[in-house]
Amino acid sequence: MTSDTALLRQKAQEEAARFPALLARAEQLAGTVLLGEHGRRRAGLGDDFWQYRPLRAGDSYRHIDWRRSARGDEQFVREREWQIAQSVQLWVDPGASMRFSSDMNLATKSHRARLTALAAAILLIRGGERVGLTGWKLPPRRGNQQVVRLSELLSDEGDDDYAAPEARGMLPHARAIFVSDFLGDLAPVEAALTKAADRGVRGALLQVLDPAEEAFPYHGRTIFESVGGTMAHETLKAGDLRGRYLERLAGRKDRLAQLARLTGWHYHCHHTDHSPQAALLWLYRAIDGSHG
């Protein structure tokens, strides 16, 4: 076996092993978040039986379940569950910038983004929702096999330093989750959110940043290079750039929050040195409608 063939085989094995590991971690993370009863289960018109309840003033007699009522002196109504036809579509930034980590003990932005998005998908599917990806690769569905497919596709990586949100195939009145560092051009983000709003899609923007990207702890001679290697900048006084950098970062975050408000979405910034449970809980509540 040649060295090139061996290297290719090793890389293929690493790629194949990545998504089961991601799935296992996401399952574990989802299990640590206690969310209580799923908020979308309520009485109404539907096909699935939910519960019996006593007849109340205003109820129609045609809704009485006479078989259940015959067991005692009280009359009962057979309530059915109202299943809101809800789909949630994910976009997780596959760009090279997401593979950055300032410390070997910290997760990359990509790993944290994929982990949080997949754990949210697991919780949503367990709650009866249909989850898929934006675009055409994986339409929203329920079931454990859908979780496996999501973990496979979320493990894909792109070659470009920054990726634009995939806004095709968004279903009318669905929900959506975009997870990215949002450090690239914001014009495609604005276009995607505008398109989503036009289709009645609401959702959540989760910005994932490394703590070094938030603090800019650089001084003296420093070479800044993009993860993909397409851009590089050398400076002898990195500390002099800190004020301008932090000002531009704050402006970017404000712009994302403003875009979210204008289109009916929610925005949150998460750092990779913080607990993934906090990001997951925020994301789930944002999609489930618990945030104002």
Side-chain angles (χ1 to χ4, degrees):
M1 181 181 294
T2 66
S3 59
D4 288 345
T5 304
L7 185 61
L8 183 61
R9 181 173 180 177
Q10 179 184 353
K11 186 174 181 180
Q13 289 173 339
E14 290 173 354
E15 292 291 325
R18 189 191 308 149
F19 79 81
L22 173 65
L23 179 56
R25 288 288 305 276
E27 289 274 9
Q28 183 181 24
L29 177 58
T32 66
V33 177
L34 302 178
L35 295 165
E37 190 68 19
H38 190 266
R40 300 191 187 282
R41 196 175 191 218
R42 65 197 77 170
L45 299 177
D47 297 327
D48 298 324
F49 170 70
W50 181 14
Q51 66 179 4
Y52 292 111
R53 65 164 175 80
L55 182 71
R56 295 194 293 253
D59 287 331
S60 171
Y61 281 100
R62 64 187 179 88
H63 291 152
I64 294 175
D65 188 287
W66 296 106
R67 180 177 297 180
R68 173 64 181 85
S69 301
R71 300 177 191 171
D73 297 329
E74 195 170 8
Q75 293 176 321
F76 287 88
V77 170
R78 181 184 176 92
E79 283 193 328
R80 297 184 182 276
E81 183 179 349
W82 178 25
Q83 294 286 0
I84 298 179
Q86 185 64 68
S87 294
V88 182
Q89 295 176 275
L90 311 176
W91 175 75
V92 178
D93 189 340
S97 72
M98 295 293 289
R99 301 196 284 273
F100 173 72
S101 174
S102 62
D103 190 306
M104 63 180 298
N105 295 315
L106 285 178
T108 64
K109 295 181 289 181
S110 176
H111 183 272
R112 181 58 58 83
R114 293 167 176 171
L115 176 66
T116 306
L118 185 58
I122 290 170
L123 292 173
L124 289 163
I125 286 174
R126 286 178 180 172
E129 312 289 28
R130 296 186 296 268
V131 182
L133 300 178
T134 57
W136 315 113
K137 285 186 177 180
L138 190 65
R141 296 190 182 93
R142 297 186 179 97
N144 291 332
Q145 187 57 37
Q146 183 75 348
V147 174
V148 174
R149 289 289 292 131
L150 282 166
S151 67
E152 291 179 22
L153 293 174
L154 288 177
S155 296
D156 291 343
E157 293 180 342
D159 296 325
D160 295 334
D161 281 318
Y162 303 105
E166 171 62 88
R168 296 175 300 171
M170 299 188 76
L171 302 175
H173 308 294
R175 295 290 182 266
I177 294 172
F178 287 179
V179 189
S180 172
D181 58 12
F182 295 111
L183 294 180
D185 183 8
L186 287 184
V189 179
E190 183 172 0
L193 292 187
T194 301
K195 182 176 181 179
D198 289 344
R199 298 181 69 83
V201 176
R202 299 292 181 267
L205 296 177
L206 179 63
Q207 184 178 31
V208 179
L209 295 178
D210 184 277
E213 293 173 325
E214 188 72 53
F216 199 82
Y218 305 109
H219 302 277
R221 181 177 181 270
T222 306
I223 300 176
F224 297 99
E225 186 175 11
S226 65
V227 177
T230 60
M231 294 178 285
H233 175 72
E234 181 177 358
T235 178
L236 297 177
K237 298 180 179 181
D240 292 348
L241 301 176
R242 187 172 186 272
R244 280 181 290 165
Y245 169 84
L246 293 179
E247 184 178 351
R248 291 186 66 177
L249 178 63
R252 178 171 291 263
K253 292 164 75 172
D254 287 344
R255 179 59 179 154
L256 287 167
Q258 181 185 39
L259 286 173
R261 286 193 300 270
L262 290 173
T263 54
W265 285 47
H266 301 283
Y267 164 77
H268 178 68
C269 184
H270 170 72
H271 301 137
T272 55
D273 60 338
H274 292 178
S275 164
Q277 285 90 342
L280 173 59
L281 189 57
W282 178 88
L283 195 57
Y284 185 90
R285 287 176 172 173
I287 290 299
D288 203 45
S290 301
H291 289 312

